[in-house]
């Protein structure tokens, strides 16, 4: 059997003529086989040089024809160029070609266009085959251990996208990283191309498509002051930012997670990696959002997946504002029932206003200390969820809270990372600017923005220390005064929980202060049935004792439009 290889430039007319003759021979001669190789004109010279050097041939023009002898254990036998192939066909098979020059040129042009289209198609297929490069910093954290299966099972990026996961941490955690790599390989996920560990910063984030930063400075060291914490966070971002800019892909997506200075870290990465699109750097707020949904669901004795549109405003790991005014519940088991898309206003379902103002606010304020002891399932889940939304869109009409670079939306100052409502669509996110907020909410957002601006200024060395927001405005918004204005009777024990030391006079250790109002106290059940508040705004200031250091990680949770409705 005769096996020939015909190679040439895609726009070469002699290659076109030799190609048609070879096709004719292959159709009419059962023992004649031809393999054709087409090269782009720009790549032809280098390709011809390489193939001739490999086989020890001397040939300078297009096309080149050789006979394959691999079935006999030898290398290819050079036949020659166009004229040599024509003579061989006429001498051995008595067949020649009478194609005119005009036809040769027309076919050569068609060959070039076809070759270009095939190259583009091959590049597209390769882009689908090349795995997503996902880098995770502080990979020894529990969240990373839980995150890897979620990224590799196909639900986040789609069942046709492979991933390569790179675990980055210091050399002190080398054994932990090695164990994670071994266990991830044991999972044998079809879409998990590779898992690797890295302990050298110079090699960090190479070709990264996604960077997930799990670093938490304050979990590792005790730092004396808030300003020192900010400066240490900034120093870390000065290392990460340029590395991401230098080594990662230009369209890399950066997700900043953790429990300390999440907004500030995202902003500093943006500052020290200026060439990265700010649209692609976000701070995770969904952990706090989901925790609020879970508490509300437990109160209503329902699945937390049915609670939607809870909004987290402001500083995710510091002073935040939980807005329930837009929140809805789906599939709530009550006298009124409807199809799956039927929803009811959440505040119409919760009749215990004291619980909303006290226990709900207090538990949310203590999430930082609770997260320190968790196994990382919830942080891993929210990171995977946000990535899935980013690549496959968020559910239509659903609000997602996320820390993004402010561009003046809702009168929030520009240039800070601020948590606000967004939606994901077509691989991007957009702020839900049609969200309505009242004047009191606007005032709360100003206070939250003030803290973030102060953090930014300390980080950039513009001011030496944090300065409080309008002392009278911040402390004057007193919960007790507000409740008196609304004529709301709140039991003393609830007030103790709400104030948590901020609204109480100094006492001896272990002594409890009783707070009274002008009105006689009423039992909670009687109060809930007799009072109806229209558009009541309750703000709760809570200082987390486990993480506070001169105001460090003080959590302010504001609850919009909490209502006490008469139980029908």
């Amino acid at each position: 059997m005769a096996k020939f290889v015909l190679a040439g430039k895609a726009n070469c007319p002699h290659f076109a003529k030799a190609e048609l003759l070879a096709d004719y021979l292959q159709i009419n001669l059962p023992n004649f086989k031809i393999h054709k190789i087409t090269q782009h004109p720009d790549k032809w010279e280098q390709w011809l040089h390489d193939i001739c050097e490999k086989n020890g041939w001397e040939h300078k023009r297009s096309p080149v024809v050789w006979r394959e002898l691999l079935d006999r254990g030898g290398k290819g036998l050079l036949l020659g160029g166009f004229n040599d192939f024509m003579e061989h066909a006429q001498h051995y098979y008595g067949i020649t070609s009478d194609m005119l020059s005009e036809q040769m040129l027309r076919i050569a042009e068609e060959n070039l266009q076809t070759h270009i289209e095939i190259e583009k198609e091959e590049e597209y297929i390769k882009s689908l085959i090349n795995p997503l490069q996902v880098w995770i910093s502080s990979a020894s954290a529990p969240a990373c251990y839980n995150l890897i299966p979620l990224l590799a099972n196909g639900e986040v990026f789609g069942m046709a996208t492979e991933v390569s996961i790179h675990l980055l941490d210091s050399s002190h955690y080398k054994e932990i990283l090695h164990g994670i790599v071994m266990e991830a390989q044991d999972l044998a996920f079809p879409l998990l191309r590779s898992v690797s560990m890295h302990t050298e910063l110079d090699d960090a984030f190479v070709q990264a498509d996604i960077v997930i930063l799990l670093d938490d400075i304050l979990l590792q060291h005790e730092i004396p002051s808030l300003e020192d914490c900010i400066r240490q966070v900034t120093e870390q971002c000065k290392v990460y930012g340029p590395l991401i800019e230098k080594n990662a892909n230009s369209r890399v997506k950066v997700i900043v997670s953790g429990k300390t200075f999440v907004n500030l870290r995202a902003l500093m990465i943006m500052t020290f990696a200026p060439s990265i699109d700010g649209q692609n750097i976000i701070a995770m707020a969904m952990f706090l959002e989901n925790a609020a949904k879970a508490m509300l669901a437990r109160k209503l004795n329902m699945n937390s997946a049915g609670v939607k549109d809870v909004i987290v405003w402001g500083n995710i790991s510091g002073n935040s504002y939980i807005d329930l005014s837009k929140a809805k519940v789906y599939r709530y088991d009550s006298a009124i029932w409807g199809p799956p898309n039927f929803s009811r206003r959440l505040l119409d379902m919760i009749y215990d206003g004291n619980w909303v103002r006290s226990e709900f606010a207090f538990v949310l304020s203590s999430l930082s200390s609770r997260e320190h002891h968790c196994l990382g399932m919830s942080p891993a889940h929210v990171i995977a969820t946000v990535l899935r939304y980013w690549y496959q869109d968020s559910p239509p009409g659903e609000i997602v809270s996320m820390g993004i670079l402010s561009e003046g939306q809702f009168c929030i100052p520009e240039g800070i990372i601020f948590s606000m409502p967004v939606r994901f669509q077509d691989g991007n996110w957009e702020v839900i600017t049609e969200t309505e907020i009242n004047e009191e909410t606007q005032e709360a957002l100003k206070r939250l923005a003030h803290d973030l601006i102060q953090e930014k200024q300390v980080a950039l060395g513009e001011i030496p220390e944090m300065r409080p927001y309008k002392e009278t405005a911040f402390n004057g918004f007193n919960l007790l005064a507000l409740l008196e204005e609304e004529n709301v009777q709140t039991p003393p024990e609830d007030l103790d929980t709400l104030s948590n030391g901020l609204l109480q006079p100094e006492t001896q250790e272990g002594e409890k202060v009783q707070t009274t109002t002008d009105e006689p106290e009423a039992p909670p059940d009687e109060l809930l049935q007799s009072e109806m508040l229209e558009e009541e705004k309750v703000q709760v200031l809570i200082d987390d004792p486990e993480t506070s250091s001169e105001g460090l990680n003080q959590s302010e949770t504001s609850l919009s439009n909490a209502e006490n409705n008469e139980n029908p």
Side-chain angles (χ1 to χ4, degrees):
M1 179 179 291
K3 298 180 182 179
F4 290 88
V5 178
L6 172 64
K9 291 191 295 185
N11 63 345
C12 175
H14 293 99
F15 174 76
K17 187 171 184 177
E19 180 184 24
L20 288 180
L21 177 60
D23 289 341
Y24 178 83
L25 293 173
Q26 183 169 243
I27 293 172
N28 291 279
L29 300 174
N31 293 327
F32 184 94
K33 300 296 179 183
I34 187 73
H35 174 66
K36 292 175 283 186
I37 301 175
T38 307
Q39 291 293 328
H40 193 279
D42 296 339
K43 301 177 181 178
W44 167 253
E45 296 295 338
Q46 184 62 44
W47 183 89
L48 181 62
H49 174 270
D50 293 343
I51 196 71
C52 289
E53 184 177 27
K54 177 182 177 181
N55 291 281
W57 299 336
E58 289 288 339
H59 193 80
K60 301 295 184 183
R61 302 177 64 183
S62 172
V64 59
V65 185
W66 69 89
R67 186 170 181 176
E68 287 287 357
L69 301 175
L70 296 179
D71 56 336
R72 303 180 189 177
K75 65 180 182 179
L77 178 65
L78 179 65
L79 182 61
F82 170 73
N83 292 330
D84 298 310
F85 181 64
M86 296 294 290
E87 290 177 4
H88 179 84
Q90 186 172 11
H91 178 74
Y92 280 92
Y93 308 112
I95 299 175
T96 187
S97 175
D98 55 358
M99 180 184 295
L100 301 177
S101 298
E102 183 179 350
Q103 291 177 299
M104 292 167 58
L105 293 173
R106 179 174 56 80
I107 294 175
E109 184 178 352
E110 292 176 357
N111 283 346
L112 178 60
Q113 294 300 321
T114 301
H115 178 75
I116 293 173
E117 291 176 3
I118 292 174
E119 278 191 334
K120 289 181 178 179
E121 184 177 355
E122 289 177 348
E123 289 177 2
Y124 174 72
I125 293 173
K126 287 179 181 179
S127 69
L128 297 178
I129 295 174
N130 290 337
L132 277 176
Q133 304 294 328
V134 181
W135 283 77
I136 306 175
S137 70
S138 289
S140 60
C144 176
Y145 182 84
N146 291 277
L147 181 59
I148 291 175
L150 301 178
L151 298 179
N153 64 13
E155 294 182 4
V156 173
F157 305 111
M159 299 305 297
T161 304
E162 294 185 342
V163 295
S164 287
I165 298 177
H166 305 265
L167 309 180
L168 175 66
D169 214 322
S170 69
S171 57
H172 300 293
Y173 302 101
K174 195 170 183 179
E175 291 186 5
I176 296 176
L177 296 183
H178 183 69
I180 295 175
V181 169
M182 295 284 288
E183 192 163 349
Q185 292 171 342
D186 292 343
L187 294 175
F189 279 117
L191 297 177
L192 183 58
R193 177 76 66 88
S194 64
V195 183
S196 58
M197 53 181 283
H198 305 266
T199 57
E200 298 294 332
L201 278 177
D202 292 340
D203 300 328
F205 313 123
V206 173
Q207 297 297 317
D209 297 300
I210 298 168
V211 172
I212 302 171
L213 301 179
L214 301 178
D215 305 80
D216 261 322
I217 293 293
L218 299 183
L219 294 181
Q220 303 169 6
H221 309 287
E222 292 185 2
I223 302 175
S225 70
L226 175 62
E227 289 76 12
D228 290 336
C229 296
I230 292 174
R231 294 185 186 102
Q232 185 161 343
V233 167
T234 304
E235 289 302 316
Q236 184 190 59
C237 294
K238 282 183 180 179
V239 176
Y240 278 172
L243 282 172
I244 293 173
E245 187 174 41
K246 174 185 175 182
N247 296 337
N249 290 334
S250 59
R251 301 185 66 182
V252 62
K253 292 177 170 63
V254 181
I255 293 180
V256 181
S257 184
K259 78 168 195 175
T260 54
F261 296 103
V262 177
N263 297 56
L264 178 64
R265 286 159 50 213
L267 180 62
M268 290 299 100
I269 293 294
M270 213 173 281
T271 301
F272 297 115
S275 67
I276 303 299
D277 187 358
Q279 185 91 3
N280 288 345
I281 302 177
I282 63 173
M284 292 296 303
M286 191 178 282
F287 176 81
L288 185 57
E289 176 188 331
N290 282 3
K293 291 178 179 178
M295 279 200 67
L296 295 165
R298 285 193 292 269
K299 182 66 176 177
L300 294 172
N301 194 27
M302 61 177 294
N303 191 323
S304 59
V307 181
K308 305 290 185 182
D309 299 345
V310 173
I311 302 175
V312 177
W313 298 92
N315 191 348
I316 299 162
S317 53
N319 294 335
S320 58
Y321 182 99
I322 307 298
D323 187 354
L324 303 181
S325 62
K326 308 294 186 297
K328 306 182 188 71
V329 292
Y330 294 81
R331 300 183 298 277
Y332 179 58
D333 189 7
S334 65
I336 302 176
W337 192 257
N341 61 348
F342 172 73
S343 67
R344 303 180 68 182
R345 190 166 176 262
L346 181 139
L347 291 176
D348 292 339
M349 302 293 101
I350 295 181
Y351 305 106
D352 191 348
N354 290 333
W355 176 86
V356 174
R357 291 189 298 270
S358 57
E359 182 181 344
F360 176 71
F362 178 77
V363 172
L364 289 181
S365 72
S366 62
L367 282 178
S368 295
S369 59
R370 181 163 69 89
E371 184 184 12
H372 179 67
H373 302 290
C374 78
L375 298 177
M377 287 188 294
S378 182
H381 170 72
V382 297
I383 291 171
T385 300
V386 167
L387 279 172
R388 186 176 80 248
Y389 289 173
W390 212 340
Y391 279 83
Q392 303 185 48
D393 297 349
S394 56
E398 186 170 324
I399 295 176
V400 180
S401 299
M402 191 173 71
I404 61 170
L405 184 65
S406 171
E407 298 179 349
Q409 304 94 333
F410 308 105
C411 298
I412 299 168
E414 298 182 10
I416 58 175
I417 299 293
F418 201 92
S419 179
M420 59 183 75
V422 303
R423 68 171 66 93
F424 289 88
Q425 190 172 3
D426 299 329
N428 296 302
W429 54 261
E430 61 179 1
V431 179
I432 307 177
T433 53
E434 59 269 24
T435 304
E436 297 180 359
I437 57 176
N438 55 32
E439 293 182 2
E440 293 180 357
T441 301
Q442 192 67 64
E443 177 63 22
L445 299 188
K446 287 181 182 178
R447 286 198 304 278
L448 301 178
H450 170 81
D451 291 344
L452 292 170
I453 292 172
Q454 294 274 294
E455 287 184 0
K456 175 183 176 182
Q457 291 175 331
V458 171
L460 298 178
E462 298 175 1
I463 59 174
E465 60 184 10
M466 299 279 286
R467 300 168 184 166
Y469 178 82
K470 301 178 187 177
E471 197 72 30
T472 55
F474 188 82
N475 294 327
F477 194 78
N478 192 311
L479 175 64
L480 301 180
L482 179 65
L483 293 177
E484 290 176 359
E485 289 176 6
E486 297 288 352
N487 294 321
V488 177
Q489 302 292 335
T490 306
E493 57 272 17
D494 286 345
L495 292 180
D496 290 340
T497 304
L498 289 173
S499 59
N500 197 25
L502 291 180
L503 302 178
Q504 300 181 46
E506 295 183 0
T507 64
Q508 298 295 326
E509 183 176 357
E511 181 181 350
K512 186 173 181 180
V513 173
Q514 296 293 332
T515 308
T516 60
T517 62
D518 296 337
E519 300 288 340
E521 183 176 325
D525 292 341
E526 179 182 349
L527 170 67
L528 293 175
Q529 294 177 6
S530 61
E531 297 290 335
M532 293 187 63
L533 304 179
E534 293 294 334
E535 297 299 322
E536 178 189 7
K537 168 128 178 126
V538 179
Q539 184 181 38
V540 184
L541 304 180
I542 299 177
D543 187 12
D544 184 357
E546 295 194 24
T547 58
S548 64
S549 174
E550 299 181 6
L552 174 62
N553 278 355
Q554 175 177 308
S555 178
E556 174 190 347
T557 307
S558 299
L559 307 171
S560 267
N561 304 322
E563 296 180 357
N564 290 331
N565 293 334
E566 183 177 355
N567 194 349

